[in-house]
Amino acid sequence: MIGILRARLRLGHQTIAFPGGAARLPARFRGRPALAPDRCAAGCAACADVCPTGAVLGTGAGGLAIDAGACVFCGRCQEACPARAIVFTRDHRLAMRAREELVVRGDAPTLARALDGRMRRLFGRSLKLRQVSAGGCGGCEAELNAAGNVQFDLGRFGIQFVASPRHADGLVVTGPVGANMRDALRRTWEATPAPRLLVAVGACAISGGVFAGSPVCGDGLDGAIDGVPVDLYVPGCPPHPVTLIDGLLRLLGRLEGDRPESLAGAP
Amino acid sequence: MPGRLQRARSGEAVAEAAVPVLSAADYQGILADTLAAGHRLLACWGEPRPEGRVLVTAAIAGDRDPTVGLLSTLAGGPLPSLAGECPAVHLFERELAEQLGVVPAGHPWFKPVRFEPPLRPGPDPWGRTLPLAGVAGVPPFFAVEGEEVHEVAVGPVHAGVIEPGHFRFQCHGESVLHLEISLGYQHRGVERLLAGGPTARTVALVESIAGDTAVGHALAHARAVEGLAGVEAPPRAAALRAVALELERLASHVGGLGGLAADIGFQPTASACGALRAEFLNALAELCGNRFGRGLVIPGGVRFDLSAGEAAALAARIDRAWAQVEGTARVFFRAASVRNRIDGIGVVAPRLARRLGLVGPSGRASGIATDARASHPFPPYDAARLTPAVQEAGDVAARARIRRDEAAWSAAFVAAALRALPPGPVAVAVPPPRGDRLVISLVEGWRGEICHAIRTGADGRFARYKVVDPSFHDWMGLQVALRGQQISDFPLCNKSFDLSYAGHDL
C-alpha cells in the first residue's frame, strides 16, 4: 500500500491546464494551415502533387485552398512549396460545424459554432457519446481513449463515452465507413434515442481520408446513414485530443473565441 | 532450409525469375517440411495469371538464418490443405481462397477471412459475387451442442472505444468451451489501394494499416522500396527510425500495461500508465509533430532531424518517464489483487503456440524466442545484440511481463541511441523501383513481425503488395487462450494479446 501511494505521489498532478491555460502541444505540432495565396505562383502545383489525399483544392493567387477535412497534416505541401505560401501553424482549433467550413483559404480562421438553445440546454452540462469505428486504422480510437485519460480528462467537462447507444446522446464515428460496417453503423444510430448528435472524427470519417475512392469503402460519414447530417467535423489524422476537446466544448457553447466562456457550466 | 528455395535477406530485392516455380506437390512438401522443422510462414499470397491460374508464393524464415526463403507454385485448381498438419497456415489458405479462389481442399474450417470481394472477376469459392456490401460476420460459427450449452454473441460494436469484431462464445455456465472470432469489419481495401504504386498516397496509406503501428509499417514499407530501388538509408536516418520504432513499442507496451490494470480495476497503474504512455507518444511528436510518428519515415530516410540539444533533452525525458514506469509496474506486479487475476489465466501452451505460429510478445510469452530484430536485423539492430525476452507460462501474466521487459530494453536503447546519433544526412534520394523484382521486408513491430512483400511489374510499379500484420498470426492465439476460461476473463485475455483489428482486416 505504501508503495502504491509513493508511486502515485511521484506521478503528481497530470491534467493539462487547457482550456483555461496552455494545451502543451509539441513544438513541431502541425495544426491549422495558414495560406498566403498572394505568394502562390500561377501554374505551380508542387503542393498538390505531393498531397497524399488530394486535399489541395486549388492553387494560384485566387484559388489556393486546402480541405482540412481531407488533410492528414503530414506537412508535405509546406515542404514542397517554393514560396512558403503554405505554413502549418500550431493552432489546434480545427473542428467545424459544416463541411464547407473546413476548407482553409487565405482568410482569417473561423471556429465551430455552438448548438442552438434547446440542444445546448439538453447537452451543455452532460454529454454522453457512443463511439463507432467504421473502417479506419484504430488511430482515432487511440486518441479518443487518450482524451479520457488523466492528462486530457474529458470527464471534467461532463463528456463521457458510454457502453451502449441506448445511453448515448450521440455517436462519434471514425473511419471511412467501410462496406462491412455500414449496416452496423446504421443500426447503432437507430438505437440511439433522439435528439442525438452525429460527430465525424478524423480525415477518414470526414472525407474517406487516405482510403478515399476505395472500392470497399464509402468516402466518410456524410450520407452514410440515410439523410442524417453531421453536427461536428473534427479533422486530423488522427486529431489531437486537444482538437477533439476544443471542438466538443465549442459545440456545447462552453468555449467561445479564444477563451473559455464559462467552465462552470452551460447557459 | 532446402536448397531449392530462393533466399534473400529481408529488404533485399531479387529478380522475379529467380524464385522457383515448383509443382504443387513439391511446393507443399517443402512448405510442410520446413514448417515442421520449426520455420515460420511470414507471408503467402496469390497473383492472378492467364487461364484462370494463380501464382502462389510463400515466404518462410527460421531463427538461425538471416535470410528469407521464397518458393512459388502455379495453381490451376484446388490445392490440398496443409492446415491439419500445420495449423499456422490455416488463415493464409482461407485468405488465398477469398482473394483469388484457390480452394484449400480438406480445410478444417473453410470460411472467408475478411468478407472482402475477390481480387479477380467472377464468383468466389462460396458463390458470392459483387457487390458484397454488409455481409461480414455471417454464419456458420463453430457451435457446441448440448442441453446446457449456450452461445454468447458480442459485436461488431463493442462497449469500449475499440475497433469492431464479432465474438461467438460457446459456453457451459460461466466457462467458455470455444470462442470463434469473426473479423473483416475494418476492411478498407489497403492492398488494392497500394497496387499500382508508388504514388503520393502510398506512405500515408501504409501508416494507416494499423494506426498504432504507423512507424512499424512505414519502416517495413520504406525498407522494401529501398531494396527495390537499390539504395540504403544513411546511418543517422537508420538510428532515428529505430528510436521511433522503439518509442512506438514503449508507448504501446506501457499503454497495454495500463489497459490490463484498468480491466483488473487496479487504478494506480491504470491512470499512471495512461499518463506515462503519453510521454512516449509526445516524444514521437517532438520528433515529427505527430503522436503516432506519422510522416516521419519515408523511403530513403526520415523527414525530420534532431539537433544535439533536442536529442539530449529527449533522452533525459525518456529516462525520467521510464523511471516512473518502473515504479508503477513494480507496484502492479507485486499487488496480490493483480496476481490473482493474471496468473494462470488465458494460457497458450508453448507447443500449441508453436503449431499456431504465434509471433511477437504473444509468441514469446509462450516460449517462442523469435524476434525479427535479432533474427533478421538491419542497422542499427545488427549492432544492438538484442536477446529476445521470453517467458514460458503463456498466461496473461507472462504476456504482461514480456511487455514490461521489452519496454525496459526499448527505453534503454532509445536513451542511448539519442545520445549517440551518428552524424550525416537523414535521407538519400530514391530512384524509381526496379522492374520485375520481389522484395520481402521484415520489421519487429510492437505486436511482432510485420511483413511487407512487393512484386514490381516490368514498369517498376507495384504489381502486388502483400501486407501481413502480426495480428494476422495471433488472433487464433486469443481464441484458444479462452478455452476453459471464465467468460468474464475475456476482456483481460483480449487486452493481454492487444491485437489489431485494422491490421488483420486491411
Side-chain angles (χ1 to χ4, degrees), chain A residues 4 10 28 30 52 74 76 79 130 133 135-137 143 145 151 163 179-181 210-212 214 216-217 237, chain B residues 114-115 134 158-161 184-186 188 201 208 211 278 286-289 291 294 298 303 305 310 324 331:
Chain A
I4 294 176
R10 256 202 305 272
R28 294 178 182 179
R30 287 179 296 279
C74 63
R76 294 274 198 143
E79 251 172 34
R130 171 65 253 177
S133 303
C137 72
E143 288 299 49
N145 276 318
Q151 233 185 8
N180 288 348
M181 271 307 288
V210 298
F211 304 112
S214 164
V216 294
C217 285
C237 186
Chain B
R114 307 187 178 94
F115 301 88
H158 299 282
V161 180
Y185 297 94
Q186 291 285 70
R188 54 229 186 269
R201 169 149 73 165
S208 305
E286 292 296 341
L287 182 53
C288 70
R291 292 183 3 123
R294 283 172 179 265
I298 50 166
R303 281 176 60 219
D305 200 357
E310 287 167 337
Q324 293 200 323
V331 166

Side-chain angles (χ1 to χ4, degrees), chain B residues 266-279:
Chain B
F266 191 69
Q267 212 52 41
T269 300
S271 54
C273 282
L276 290 167
R277 166 179 173 271
E279 284 295 312

Side-chain angles (χ1 to χ4, degrees), chain B residues 330-391:
Chain B
R330 199 176 307 121
V331 166
F332 177 78
F333 284 104
R334 276 185 190 166
S337 58
V338 171
R339 299 287 298 270
N340 198 26
R341 289 295 310 278
I342 64 175
D343 286 347
I345 300 297
V347 175
V348 182
R351 211 180 83 84
L352 185 56
R354 209 166 279 280
R355 277 173 62 75
L356 292 174
L358 301 193
V359 301
S362 306
R364 291 192 283 274
S366 293
I368 303 174
T370 298
D371 187 315
R373 290 173 294 172
S375 68
H376 293 76
F378 49 79
Y381 293 107
D382 47 357
R385 294 218 170 79
L386 170 101
T387 308
V390 70
Q391 298 267 333

Side-chain angles (χ1 to χ4, degrees), chain B residues 163 167 179 181 183 212-213 252-253 255-257 259-260 263 342 344-350 352-354 356-368 393-403 406 445-448 469-483 485 489-501:
Chain B
E163 298 178 77
F167 303 95
L179 162 64
I181 299 176
L183 299 177
D212 52 20
T213 318
S252 301
H253 283 351
L257 283 179
L260 276 179
D263 279 346
I342 64 175
I345 300 297
V347 175
V348 182
L352 185 56
R354 209 166 279 280
L356 292 174
L358 301 193
V359 301
S362 306
R364 291 192 283 274
S366 293
I368 303 174
D395 56 359
V396 172
R399 288 186 283 276
R401 289 201 178 91
I402 291 279
R403 298 186 77 174
E406 291 188 9
W446 66 271
R447 282 195 186 90
D469 184 87
S471 303
F472 192 77
H473 299 279
D474 283 352
W475 275 106
M476 194 65 197
L478 173 59
Q479 300 181 52
V480 299
L482 252 285
R483 290 192 176 176
Q485 299 298 308
D489 278 332
F490 173 71
L492 199 54
C493 291
N494 190 19
K495 191 70 215 172
S496 75
F497 279 87
D498 214 348
L499 302 175
S500 171
Y501 300 73

